[in-house]
Amino acid sequence: MTTTSLSTTALPQRSPLVTRPLLLRFVSIVACSVGFFLPLAAVPLLADATSPVGGGVSNGALLAATVAGELASPWLMQRVGVRAVLAAGLVLLGAPTFVLLFSVSLPVLVTTGVLRGLGFALAIVAGGAVTAAIVPADRRGEGLALAGLVSAVPSLLALPLGVTLSAVAGPGWVFAIAGAVPLFAVASVGGLPGRAAGAQTAQVSSRTSGRSGTGILVGLRSPELLRPALVFAASAAVAGVVVTCVPGALTGSASALAPALLLVQPAAAGLGRWLAGRYGDRLGHRRLFLPGIALSAVGMAAMAATASAPLVLAGGVVFGLGFGALQNSTISAMYERADERQFATVSALWNAGYDGGMAAGAFAVSALAALVGPAVAFLALAVALPLVLTLVRRSASTSASTTGPTR
C-alpha cells in the first residue's frame, strides 16, 4: 500500500480543463455560431430574389465587416475591456437581425449584414482571448480544440437548418432565432474572467520573444505571431475553394456529392483539430505545421479529380484533417509566444488570416479556373501550397534559437 501511494503521488498532476468559466464561455461560443450561421445561406436566397447580385453583395458586406472588426478588436479591447467587447459583439450580432422581420430589401440586408459582421468579429476575437485565458497553459491546445468542437457542431448544423427552416416555416423564424440566441448569451459574459490569473501570465510571459506591445501592428511585426497566421491562412485559402469552387466544378459520378463533401470536410476538420489539441501540448504545436500543410495539399490535389467520386470524398477528408490540425496548432503556437496582453492580438490576427485566406483563395482560384479550367486551377493551388513550408522552417528555427528543444 505504501508503494502504491508513493507511485500515485509521484504522477504529474494535470490542470483541470473543464471549469465553470469554460462552461460559461461555451454559451457565447454556441450563440455566436447560431447567430452567424443560421441566416448565412438564407439571406442570399432572399437577396437574390431582390437583385441578381443581391446574394453576393449582402454576404460580401457581412464578410468585409467581419475582417474589419477583427482588425479593430484589439484596440477596442484595450480601452473598454474584453468582457465589454464580447457583450457588445453579441448584441450587434443579434439585435440587427430582428430588423429583417420587417424588411428584406437589399439596403436593409446590406446594413444589417455590416452590423452583424462587426458583432461577430468582436465576439469571436474577444471570446478567443477569454478562452485562451481560461484554459490552463499546460493544456491550452486541448482546451482550444474543445472550444473549437463546441463551435463547429452548431455551425455545421445551423447552416443547412437555416435554409430548411426558411423553406418550411418562413425566414421570419430564422431571423427570430438568430437574433434572440446571441442576446440571451449576454447574461453569461458577467461570469467570465476579465483577465488571466497572474501565475498563468508569468508562465506564458517567460516564453515570449520580448515583444510586449499589443495591437495588430505589433502582431504584424512579430515573426513568431505572423508566420503561424500565414501558414494557417494558406490552408484557409483551400477551405475557401472547397466551399466556393469545388461543389460547382464536380462532374460525372461526383456531381451529386456536393452535400456529402460539405459535410465530411468539416467533420474531418473537427477530428483533426481535436487530435492536434491532444498531441500538440505534448509534442509541440509547431511540429504539426508540416503534416498539416502536406495533408491540405494532398487533399486539394485529390479534389482536382472533379469527376471521381471516391477521390473527391477522400480529398475532402484528407484536407479536413490537415486543415483542422492547422486550425489548432497555429493558434496554440501563437498563444504560446504571447503574453496575456497580446491574447487579443493573437485572436484578431488568426481570425483575420482565417477569413482573409478563405476569401483570397476563393477569389484567386475562381479567376484562374475561368482561364484554365477548375481541375488545373485546383492542382495549381495544391502545388503552390507547400511553398508556405519555408515559413514553417523559419518558425522552427526561431523557436529553437529562443527556447531550446521542444519538449
Side-chain angles (χ1 to χ4, degrees):
M1 292 181 64
T2 303
T3 304
T4 303
S5 175
L6 289 173
S7 63
T8 301
T9 56
L11 292 175
Q13 296 296 316
R14 303 188 72 194
S15 305
L17 181 61
V18 180
T19 59
R20 182 178 181 275
L22 186 60
L23 291 174
L24 284 174
R25 169 66 186 128
F26 287 166
V27 174
S28 53
I29 289 176
V30 172
C32 281
S33 296
V34 173
F36 186 79
F37 286 100
L38 194 66
L40 188 61
V43 165
L45 294 176
L46 294 172
D48 285 338
T50 304
S51 167
V53 297
V57 170
S58 59
N59 267 7
L62 172 76
L63 296 175
T66 299
V67 174
E70 288 165 351
L71 297 177
S73 293
W75 176 86
L76 191 59
M77 290 166 63
Q78 291 173 30
R79 282 149 182 80
V80 301
V82 62
R83 283 181 296 196
V85 173
L86 176 55
L90 290 169
V91 171
L92 277 175
L93 177 61
T97 314
F98 289 114
V99 177
L100 301 177
L101 293 172
F102 306 99
S103 174
V104 290
S105 66
L106 188 56
V108 171
L109 289 172
V110 170
T111 303
T112 56
V114 169
L115 294 174
R116 293 180 61 249
L118 289 173
F120 182 65
L122 298 180
I124 60 172
V125 172
V130 170
T131 304
I134 289 173
V135 296
D138 61 327
R139 302 183 71 180
R140 181 166 292 134
E142 191 176 358
L144 294 175
L146 181 58
L149 289 176
V150 171
S151 173
V153 172
S155 301
L156 188 63
L157 297 176
L159 195 59
L161 180 60
V163 176
T164 303
L165 186 60
S166 180
V168 173
W173 282 98
V174 174
F175 301 142
I177 296 171
V181 171
L183 295 181
F184 283 132
V186 173
S188 69
V189 174
L192 298 174
R195 62 190 302 277
Q200 181 177 337
T201 304
Q203 182 179 2
V204 177
S205 298
S206 68
R207 296 196 298 268
T208 63
S209 61
R211 295 184 181 271
S212 59
T214 60
I216 284 293
L217 292 180
V218 171
L220 292 174
R221 291 195 298 264
S222 170
E224 292 187 351
L225 300 184
L226 181 59
R227 286 171 185 160
L230 291 176
V231 169
F232 178 58
S235 186
V238 180
V241 171
V242 172
V243 173
T244 305
C245 306
V246 174
L250 300 179
T251 60
S253 62
S255 59
L257 286 181
L261 175 64
L262 296 178
L263 178 64
V264 301
Q265 184 266 310
L271 176 61
R273 188 166 190 172
W274 174 249
L275 292 173
R278 288 282 295 173
Y279 295 104
D281 288 332
R282 298 170 175 81
L283 303 176
H285 298 290
R286 284 171 172 75
R287 291 186 177 181
L288 302 179
F289 290 3
L290 175 58
I293 287 292
L295 288 172
S296 297
V298 170
M300 184 72 262
M303 284 183 282
T306 55
S308 171
L311 280 177
V312 168
L313 281 182
V317 171
V318 172
F319 165 70
L321 290 171
F323 180 62
L326 288 173
Q327 273 186 300
N328 211 74
S329 60
T330 52
I331 195 168
S332 297
M334 292 168 72
Y335 279 128
E336 203 172 45
R337 298 299 170 196
D339 60 39
E340 181 193 330
R341 293 174 298 172
Q342 295 174 318
F343 281 2
T345 300
V346 168
S347 183
L349 195 61
W350 185 87
N351 279 290
Y354 192 164
D355 295 326
M358 287 190 69
F363 176 80
V365 172
S366 294
L368 183 61
L371 298 175
V372 299
V376 176
F378 297 163
L379 278 175
L381 178 59
V383 171
L385 197 58
L387 295 177
V388 78
L389 294 178
T390 58
L391 296 174
V392 176
R393 288 198 295 270
R394 290 176 182 176
S395 180
S397 175
T398 303
S399 174
S401 64
T402 56
T403 64
T406 305
R407 59 183 174 85

